Amino acid sequence: MSRPARATVTLIAAAALCTAPAASASAAQDAHRRPPRIVTAWACAWNGTDPRALGALFSPDGTYTDLAVGVTFHGRQDIAGWKARADSLIDSVHVTVRAAHRHGGRITVDAVYAGHLKGAPTPFAVPMTTLLDLDNRGRITSDEDHYSLATVLAQSGLPADWTPPTP
């Protein structure tokens, strides 16, 4: 085999070897991009119609804090009650997970929180970051939702001092 032909074969083999790890790295990245099961279950619970499904994801003494509204709920029943209240105030309440990053027992969720406040002229869709802390069984011990209530109200066409009706 001539020297240029040997060099070509070597370059082709090197290129093949270089692309194989890249494909494997890409597949690993795709697997890494899939959110942890608890995040998928959390989003499904928010997007579903059974408030108990959200509460069931928490440890018995878990907490749920909505920092935009300034409320914290303790225990599965109260957390399910918060979901029921959200469903009664917001049509088509929906969480779309964009990314999730896990570090030990903490997961940071990058999402879009959307819906249509009942009586508001327009729907909203705002960025949200949620911090989930998990126990050793994979149940949520703490949920902190971070989003802008001012942006929700502005997108909804409501005044900044709007408050939801009392049940």
mmCIF file of all heavy atoms in Angstrom, residues 41-42 45-46 50-58 64 76 79-80 82-83 140 143:
data_model
loop_
_atom_site.group_PDB
_atom_site.id
_atom_site.type_symbol
_atom_site.label_atom_id
_atom_site.label_comp_id
_atom_site.label_asym_id
_atom_site.label_seq_id
_atom_site.Cartn_x
_atom_site.Cartn_y
_atom_site.Cartn_z
ATOM 1 N N ALA A 41 -42.871 12.639 38.056
ATOM 2 C CA ALA A 41 -44.079 12.397 38.854
ATOM 3 C C ALA A 41 -44.622 13.704 39.429
ATOM 4 O O ALA A 41 -45.844 13.918 39.466
ATOM 5 C CB ALA A 41 -43.768 11.409 39.978
ATOM 6 N N TRP A 42 -43.735 14.586 39.881
ATOM 7 C CA TRP A 42 -44.124 15.891 40.429
ATOM 8 C C TRP A 42 -44.856 16.720 39.366
ATOM 9 O O TRP A 42 -45.918 17.274 39.622
ATOM 10 C CB TRP A 42 -42.865 16.591 40.948
ATOM 11 C CG TRP A 42 -43.008 17.999 41.376
ATOM 12 C CD1 TRP A 42 -43.445 18.458 42.588
ATOM 13 C CD2 TRP A 42 -42.683 19.153 40.620
ATOM 14 N NE1 TRP A 42 -43.411 19.824 42.612
ATOM 15 C CE2 TRP A 42 -42.948 20.275 41.420
ATOM 16 C CE3 TRP A 42 -42.194 19.349 39.319
ATOM 17 C CZ2 TRP A 42 -42.739 21.579 40.984
ATOM 18 C CZ3 TRP A 42 -41.986 20.647 38.879
ATOM 19 C CH2 TRP A 42 -42.257 21.740 39.705
ATOM 20 N N ALA A 45 -48.214 15.214 38.624
ATOM 21 C CA ALA A 45 -49.171 15.499 39.704
ATOM 22 C C ALA A 45 -49.710 16.923 39.567
ATOM 23 O O ALA A 45 -50.909 17.159 39.739
ATOM 24 C CB ALA A 45 -48.517 15.287 41.062
ATOM 25 N N TRP A 46 -48.838 17.884 39.256
ATOM 26 C CA TRP A 46 -49.312 19.258 39.059
ATOM 27 C C TRP A 46 -50.239 19.347 37.842
ATOM 28 O O TRP A 46 -51.215 20.086 37.850
ATOM 29 C CB TRP A 46 -48.143 20.235 38.902
ATOM 30 C CG TRP A 46 -47.786 20.872 40.189
ATOM 31 C CD1 TRP A 46 -46.650 20.692 40.911
ATOM 32 C CD2 TRP A 46 -48.599 21.771 40.950
ATOM 33 N NE1 TRP A 46 -46.712 21.424 42.069
ATOM 34 C CE2 TRP A 46 -47.894 22.107 42.111
ATOM 35 C CE3 TRP A 46 -49.860 22.334 40.758
ATOM 36 C CZ2 TRP A 46 -48.402 22.972 43.083
ATOM 37 C CZ3 TRP A 46 -50.367 23.201 41.719
ATOM 38 C CH2 TRP A 46 -49.637 23.508 42.861
ATOM 39 N N ASP A 50 -55.963 15.084 40.359
ATOM 40 C CA ASP A 50 -56.106 14.524 41.698
ATOM 41 C C ASP A 50 -55.094 15.175 42.626
ATOM 42 O O ASP A 50 -53.899 14.858 42.562
ATOM 43 C CB ASP A 50 -55.902 13.013 41.673
ATOM 44 C CG ASP A 50 -56.057 12.371 43.047
ATOM 45 O OD1 ASP A 50 -56.377 13.080 44.022
ATOM 46 O OD2 ASP A 50 -55.837 11.145 43.136
ATOM 47 N N PRO A 51 -55.521 16.088 43.500
ATOM 48 C CA PRO A 51 -54.580 16.773 44.396
ATOM 49 C C PRO A 51 -53.793 15.822 45.292
ATOM 50 O O PRO A 51 -52.655 16.109 45.664
ATOM 51 C CB PRO A 51 -55.476 17.684 45.236
ATOM 52 C CG PRO A 51 -56.733 17.825 44.470
ATOM 53 C CD PRO A 51 -56.879 16.557 43.676
ATOM 54 N N ARG A 52 -54.384 14.668 45.617
ATOM 55 C CA ARG A 52 -53.688 13.707 46.478
ATOM 56 C C ARG A 52 -52.434 13.142 45.816
ATOM 57 O O ARG A 52 -51.511 12.718 46.504
ATOM 58 C CB ARG A 52 -54.627 12.588 46.885
ATOM 59 C CG ARG A 52 -55.754 13.076 47.797
ATOM 60 C CD ARG A 52 -56.766 12.018 48.010
ATOM 61 N NE ARG A 52 -57.334 11.685 46.680
ATOM 62 C CZ ARG A 52 -58.239 10.764 46.454
ATOM 63 N NH1 ARG A 52 -58.689 10.046 47.434
ATOM 64 N NH2 ARG A 52 -58.690 10.538 45.244
ATOM 65 N N ALA A 53 -52.394 13.158 44.490
ATOM 66 C CA ALA A 53 -51.220 12.650 43.779
ATOM 67 C C ALA A 53 -49.985 13.488 44.110
ATOM 68 O O ALA A 53 -48.883 12.947 44.237
ATOM 69 C CB ALA A 53 -51.464 12.628 42.276
ATOM 70 N N LEU A 54 -50.165 14.789 44.268
ATOM 71 C CA LEU A 54 -49.036 15.635 44.650
ATOM 72 C C LEU A 54 -48.628 15.342 46.087
ATOM 73 O O LEU A 54 -47.452 15.113 46.372
ATOM 74 C CB LEU A 54 -49.374 17.119 44.484
ATOM 75 C CG LEU A 54 -48.228 18.092 44.790
ATOM 76 C CD1 LEU A 54 -47.073 17.885 43.818
ATOM 77 C CD2 LEU A 54 -48.722 19.526 44.740
ATOM 78 N N GLY A 55 -49.560 15.330 46.998
ATOM 79 C CA GLY A 55 -49.256 15.049 48.398
ATOM 80 C C GLY A 55 -48.565 13.714 48.599
ATOM 81 O O GLY A 55 -47.689 13.581 49.456
ATOM 82 N N ALA A 56 -48.927 12.725 47.803
ATOM 83 C CA ALA A 56 -48.364 11.374 47.945
ATOM 84 C C ALA A 56 -46.871 11.312 47.617
ATOM 85 O O ALA A 56 -46.192 10.374 48.029
ATOM 86 C CB ALA A 56 -49.129 10.397 47.057
ATOM 87 N N LEU A 57 -46.349 12.304 46.917
ATOM 88 C CA LEU A 57 -44.933 12.311 46.561
ATOM 89 C C LEU A 57 -44.041 12.754 47.719
ATOM 90 O O LEU A 57 -42.823 12.613 47.656
ATOM 91 C CB LEU A 57 -44.696 13.238 45.364
ATOM 92 C CG LEU A 57 -45.430 12.856 44.084
ATOM 93 C CD1 LEU A 57 -45.228 13.931 43.027
ATOM 94 C CD2 LEU A 57 -44.971 11.502 43.583
ATOM 95 N N PHE A 58 -44.661 13.284 48.771
ATOM 96 C CA PHE A 58 -43.926 13.860 49.889
ATOM 97 C C PHE A 58 -43.782 12.867 51.036
ATOM 98 O O PHE A 58 -44.616 11.988 51.221
ATOM 99 C CB PHE A 58 -44.641 15.115 50.400
ATOM 100 C CG PHE A 58 -44.471 16.300 49.488
ATOM 101 C CD1 PHE A 58 -45.179 16.396 48.304
ATOM 102 C CD2 PHE A 58 -43.587 17.320 49.819
ATOM 103 C CE1 PHE A 58 -45.009 17.475 47.459
ATOM 104 C CE2 PHE A 58 -43.417 18.405 48.980
ATOM 105 C CZ PHE A 58 -44.120 18.489 47.798
ATOM 106 N N TYR A 64 -44.064 22.195 51.609
ATOM 107 C CA TYR A 64 -44.193 22.803 50.283
ATOM 108 C C TYR A 64 -44.267 24.304 50.495
ATOM 109 O O TYR A 64 -45.168 24.791 51.184
ATOM 110 C CB TYR A 64 -45.469 22.317 49.592
ATOM 111 C CG TYR A 64 -45.524 22.676 48.134
ATOM 112 C CD1 TYR A 64 -45.391 21.700 47.163
ATOM 113 C CD2 TYR A 64 -45.691 23.988 47.719
ATOM 114 C CE1 TYR A 64 -45.420 22.023 45.814
ATOM 115 C CE2 TYR A 64 -45.725 24.322 46.378
ATOM 116 C CZ TYR A 64 -45.580 23.337 45.430
ATOM 117 O OH TYR A 64 -45.609 23.658 44.102
ATOM 118 N N ARG A 76 -48.648 15.800 53.894
ATOM 119 C CA ARG A 76 -49.278 15.402 52.635
ATOM 120 C C ARG A 76 -50.671 15.999 52.449
ATOM 121 O O ARG A 76 -51.028 16.438 51.347
ATOM 122 C CB ARG A 76 -49.363 13.881 52.561
ATOM 123 C CG ARG A 76 -48.015 13.227 52.456
ATOM 124 C CD ARG A 76 -48.132 11.727 52.538
ATOM 125 N NE ARG A 76 -46.828 11.105 52.352
ATOM 126 C CZ ARG A 76 -46.523 9.913 52.781
ATOM 127 N NH1 ARG A 76 -47.429 9.178 53.429
ATOM 128 N NH2 ARG A 76 -45.327 9.420 52.580
ATOM 129 N N ILE A 79 -50.487 19.731 51.665
ATOM 130 C CA ILE A 79 -49.916 19.915 50.325
ATOM 131 C C ILE A 79 -50.953 19.572 49.267
ATOM 132 O O ILE A 79 -51.119 20.301 48.283
ATOM 133 C CB ILE A 79 -48.619 19.086 50.177
ATOM 134 C CG1 ILE A 79 -47.537 19.666 51.109
ATOM 135 C CG2 ILE A 79 -48.151 19.052 48.724
ATOM 136 C CD1 ILE A 79 -46.349 18.760 51.346
ATOM 137 N N ALA A 80 -51.696 18.504 49.465
ATOM 138 C CA ALA A 80 -52.786 18.161 48.540
ATOM 139 C C ALA A 80 -53.838 19.270 48.534
ATOM 140 O O ALA A 80 -54.388 19.615 47.483
ATOM 141 C CB ALA A 80 -53.413 16.823 48.929
ATOM 142 N N TRP A 82 -53.264 22.427 48.989
ATOM 143 C CA TRP A 82 -52.717 23.552 48.204
ATOM 144 C C TRP A 82 -52.935 23.305 46.712
ATOM 145 O O TRP A 82 -53.314 24.201 45.977
ATOM 146 C CB TRP A 82 -51.236 23.739 48.513
ATOM 147 C CG TRP A 82 -50.571 24.798 47.693
ATOM 148 C CD1 TRP A 82 -49.509 24.633 46.860
ATOM 149 C CD2 TRP A 82 -50.903 26.190 47.627
ATOM 150 N NE1 TRP A 82 -49.172 25.826 46.279
ATOM 151 C CE2 TRP A 82 -50.014 26.799 46.745
ATOM 152 C CE3 TRP A 82 -51.882 26.970 48.235
ATOM 153 C CZ2 TRP A 82 -50.062 28.155 46.436
ATOM 154 C CZ3 TRP A 82 -51.937 28.326 47.935
ATOM 155 C CH2 TRP A 82 -51.033 28.909 47.048
ATOM 156 N N LYS A 83 -52.722 22.094 46.285
ATOM 157 C CA LYS A 83 -52.958 21.744 44.869
ATOM 158 C C LYS A 83 -54.442 21.912 44.537
ATOM 159 O O LYS A 83 -54.792 22.470 43.494
ATOM 160 C CB LYS A 83 -52.481 20.310 44.605
ATOM 161 C CG LYS A 83 -52.977 19.653 43.334
ATOM 162 C CD LYS A 83 -52.489 20.292 42.065
ATOM 163 C CE LYS A 83 -52.828 19.392 40.871
ATOM 164 N NZ LYS A 83 -53.329 20.101 39.729
ATOM 165 N N ILE A 140 -40.154 13.461 48.539
ATOM 166 C CA ILE A 140 -39.844 14.878 48.691
ATOM 167 C C ILE A 140 -40.010 15.261 50.165
ATOM 168 O O ILE A 140 -41.059 15.021 50.755
ATOM 169 C CB ILE A 140 -40.759 15.745 47.811
ATOM 170 C CG1 ILE A 140 -40.610 15.368 46.331
ATOM 171 C CG2 ILE A 140 -40.466 17.233 48.030
ATOM 172 C CD1 ILE A 140 -41.660 15.990 45.418
ATOM 173 N N ASP A 143 -40.113 21.229 49.153
ATOM 174 C CA ASP A 143 -40.323 21.782 47.815
ATOM 175 C C ASP A 143 -40.391 23.294 47.981
ATOM 176 O O ASP A 143 -41.177 23.799 48.770
ATOM 177 C CB ASP A 143 -41.636 21.246 47.239
ATOM 178 C CG ASP A 143 -42.005 21.842 45.882
ATOM 179 O OD1 ASP A 143 -41.938 23.077 45.718
ATOM 180 O OD2 ASP A 143 -42.407 21.080 45.007
#
